[in-house]
C-alpha cells in the first residue's frame, strides 16, 4: 500500500517538541528563544516546521506573544507525556538500589513547616540525592504534579483526579488566628471582621463558611495576601483574623500579638495528602523519600 494511501506519520524530533513546550510555557517566541539561547528566527522556524508536519496551526500569534490553539493544547499534553517518558527511561536505566540524582517536592506554605526535619533525615541517609522544594498553592501544586514538574506534592485533600495517587494522608486541626488583645466570645466575635487569607478558595475558608452557616452567620469579607509574614502582621495589627492548622501555628513560635482558638469538631479536621502521578516512574530516590515520610511524618503528626 502506498504511503499516501495509508497516511504518513509526521517525523517529529525531540528537539522540536522541547522548543514547542518552551514556547507554550513562556507564551512568547522571543522569551522562549532567550530561555533556550536560540535566535528568534530559529524558534519561529521550528514551530512552523511542526505546524507544516502536522498540517494544522498550533499557536495564535498576537501583539502580546502567542496562545495555543486547541490543536496546540492537545499536542502540549502529549509532548509533556513524551518528554517525561524519555526522562523516566533514562532514570530507569540509570537507577540503582542506592538513591542518587535529584527529586523535586512541592508543598503549600503550611505543610512546608513540617518538611525541614524530614528533608534533613532523608539527606542524612541519602547524601547523593539532591532535593528541590517548590512552594505554591494547592491548585498550582496539583497542576505541577500533572505536568511532571514535581515528583510529588503536599496539598490539602482529598484530591479527586484519575491520574493522581494520594500516597499519604495526615489530619490537621484548624484554628482561628485572632489579635491577642481581642476578646473572643465565639463566632459572634468575628462576624464583622475580615478574613485574611493566602488563598480565598482554599479548604480552610470552606470549613469556616460551613461553621458560620450552621451557626447562622455569614463571612463578611476576605482580603488576600501574598506572604504569610504580611498576613500575620495584619492579624497582629487588628485588621482581621485568619485560619491556620494549629500545628503550623505552634511551630511558628510566634512571640505575642496573636492567639489561636481551635475549630470545633468536624469543621476543624482537614487532611493533608502527599500526591504523585499514577504513572510516575518510582526511582529508588523517590521511593525512599516516601518511605521516610511514612516512618517519620505519620508518627510525628496528631
Amino acid at each position: 500500500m502506498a504511503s499516501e494511501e495509508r497516511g504518513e506519520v509526521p517525523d517529529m524530533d525531540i528537539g522540536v517538541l522541547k522548543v514547542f513546550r518552551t514556547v507554550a510555557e513562556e507564551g512568547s517566541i522571543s522569551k522562549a528563544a532567550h530561555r533556550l539561547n536560540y535566535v528568534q528566527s530559529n524558534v519561529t522556524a521550528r514551530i512552523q516546521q511542526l505546524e507544516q508536519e502536522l498540517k494544522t496551526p498550533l499557536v495564535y500569534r498576537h501583539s502580546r506573544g502567542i496562545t495555543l490553539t486547541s490543536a496546540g493544547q492537545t499536542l502540549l499534553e502529549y509532548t509533556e507525556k513524551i518528554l517525561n517518558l524519555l526522562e523516566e527511561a533514562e532514570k530507569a536505566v540509570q537507577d540503582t538500589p542506592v538513591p542518587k540524582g535529584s527529586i523535586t517536592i512541592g508543598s503549600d506554605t503550611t505543610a512546608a513547616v513540617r518538611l525541614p526535619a524530614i528533608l534533613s533525615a532523608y539527606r542524612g541517609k541519602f547524601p547523593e540525592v539532591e532535593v528541590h522544594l517548590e512552594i505554591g498553592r494547592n491548585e498550582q501544586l496539583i497542576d505541577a504534579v500533572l505536568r511532571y514538574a514535581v515528583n510529588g506534592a503536599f496539598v490539602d485533600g482529598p484530591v479527586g483526579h484519575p491520574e493522581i495517587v494520594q500516597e499519604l494522608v495526615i489530619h490537621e486541626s484548624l484554628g482561628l488566628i485572632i489579635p491577642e488583645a481581642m476578646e473572643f466570645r465565639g463566632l459572634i466575635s468575628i462576624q464583622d471582621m475580615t478574613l485574611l487569607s493566602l488563598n480565598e478558595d482554599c479548604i480552610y475558608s470552606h470549613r469556616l463558611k460551613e461553621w458560620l452557616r450552621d451557626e447562622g452567620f455569614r463571612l463578611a469579607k476576605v482580603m488576600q495576601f501574598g506572604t504569610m509574614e504580611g498576613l500575620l502582621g495584619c492579624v497582629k495589627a487588628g485588621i482581621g483574623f485568619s485560619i491556620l492548622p494549629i500545628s503550623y501555628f505552634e511551630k511558628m513560635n510566634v512571640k505575642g500579638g496573636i492567639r489561636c482558638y481551635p475549630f470545633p469538631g468536624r469543621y476543624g479536621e482537614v487532611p493533608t495528602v502527599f500526591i504523585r502521578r499514577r504513572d510516575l516512574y518510582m526511582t529508588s530516590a523517590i521511593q525512599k523519600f516516601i518511605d521516610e515520610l511514612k516512618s517519620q511524618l505519620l508518627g510525628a503528626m496528631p
Side-chain angles (χ1 to χ4, degrees):
M1 184 180 292
S3 61
E4 61 268 18
E5 292 179 352
R6 65 174 182 268
E8 296 183 356
V9 177
D11 186 21
M12 294 180 288
D13 64 52
I14 298 304
V16 170
L17 290 179
K18 289 181 177 178
V19 169
F20 171 70
R21 181 175 66 176
T22 305
V23 169
E25 290 174 347
E26 295 292 340
S28 165
I29 297 289
S30 60
K31 290 180 180 179
H34 178 75
R35 176 171 154 187
L36 294 167
N37 199 26
Y38 289 173
V39 295
Q40 188 169 327
S41 59
N42 191 343
V43 174
T44 299
R46 295 289 189 95
I47 299 300
Q48 290 175 341
Q49 171 194 344
L50 200 51
E51 290 179 321
Q52 290 168 4
E53 289 178 351
L54 294 172
K55 299 181 176 61
T56 186
L58 298 173
V59 300
Y60 295 115
R61 295 162 177 81
H62 47 73
S63 59
R64 298 185 303 279
I66 66 96
T67 302
L68 295 183
T69 64
S70 58
Q73 290 284 359
T74 300
L75 179 61
L76 180 61
E77 292 176 10
Y78 280 98
T79 295
E80 296 283 6
K81 292 179 181 179
I82 291 168
L83 295 180
N84 181 71
L85 189 59
L86 286 171
E87 183 180 342
E88 289 191 350
E90 182 179 349
K91 290 178 180 177
V93 298
Q94 295 178 350
D95 199 20
T96 62
V98 178
K100 297 180 180 179
S102 67
I103 61 174
T104 303
I105 303 300
S107 176
D108 64 16
T109 305
T110 52
V113 76
R114 300 185 181 278
L115 292 182
I118 304 301
L119 296 179
S120 177
Y122 179 78
R123 288 298 306 275
K125 293 179 181 179
F126 309 110
E128 294 188 64
V129 179
E130 185 176 354
V131 182
H132 303 279
L133 185 61
E134 298 286 340
I135 304 298
R137 294 179 177 177
N138 242 46
E139 62 273 14
Q140 295 171 330
L141 295 170
I142 293 171
D143 180 64
V145 167
L146 291 171
R147 291 187 295 104
Y148 305 96
V150 298
N151 297 109
F154 290 93
V155 298
D156 299 328
V159 176
H161 194 289
E163 295 182 34
I164 283 181
V165 173
Q166 300 180 42
E167 191 70 33
L168 184 66
V169 178
I170 307 142
H171 288 281
E172 297 279 14
S173 297
L174 298 180
L176 288 173
I177 311 302
I178 65 171
E180 189 173 47
M182 173 183 165
E183 180 184 356
F184 186 72
R185 296 176 288 108
L187 287 181
I188 194 171
S189 303
I190 64 167
Q191 66 173 332
D192 296 321
M193 294 180 67
T194 299
L195 170 63
L196 311 181
S197 174
L198 294 178
N199 181 3
E200 182 178 353
D201 197 37
C202 70
I203 191 171
Y204 305 161
S205 299
H206 289 306
R207 289 297 174 84
L208 174 64
K209 290 175 183 176
E210 289 178 11
W211 183 15
L212 288 166
R213 181 198 61 213
D214 292 349
E215 295 292 330
F217 297 99
R218 295 181 61 184
L219 184 62
K221 52 185 176 179
V222 180
M223 182 184 298
Q224 287 189 250
F225 286 79
T227 66
M228 183 64 73
E229 292 77 11
L231 184 152
L232 293 177
C234 286
V235 173
K236 288 183 180 182
I239 294 174
F241 71 98
S242 191
I243 314 166
L244 288 176
I246 295 174
S247 60
Y248 181 83
F249 176 79
E250 291 173 345
K251 287 180 180 292
M252 285 191 306
N253 193 27
V254 179
K255 298 184 182 300
I258 56 179
R259 289 185 292 170
C260 178
Y261 284 89
F263 275 49
R266 65 183 180 86
Y267 304 111
E269 294 300 313
V270 174
T272 295
V273 297
F274 182 75
I275 63 172
R276 60 176 175 84
R277 276 196 68 104
R278 190 175 298 278
D279 60 359
L280 178 72
Y281 175 72
M282 298 293 285
T283 63
S284 57
I286 188 64
Q287 183 61 63
K288 292 296 184 182
F289 180 80
I290 291 173
D291 292 344
E292 192 67 33
L293 288 176
K294 290 178 177 179
S295 65
Q296 291 204 36
L297 198 54
L298 281 177
M301 291 189 181

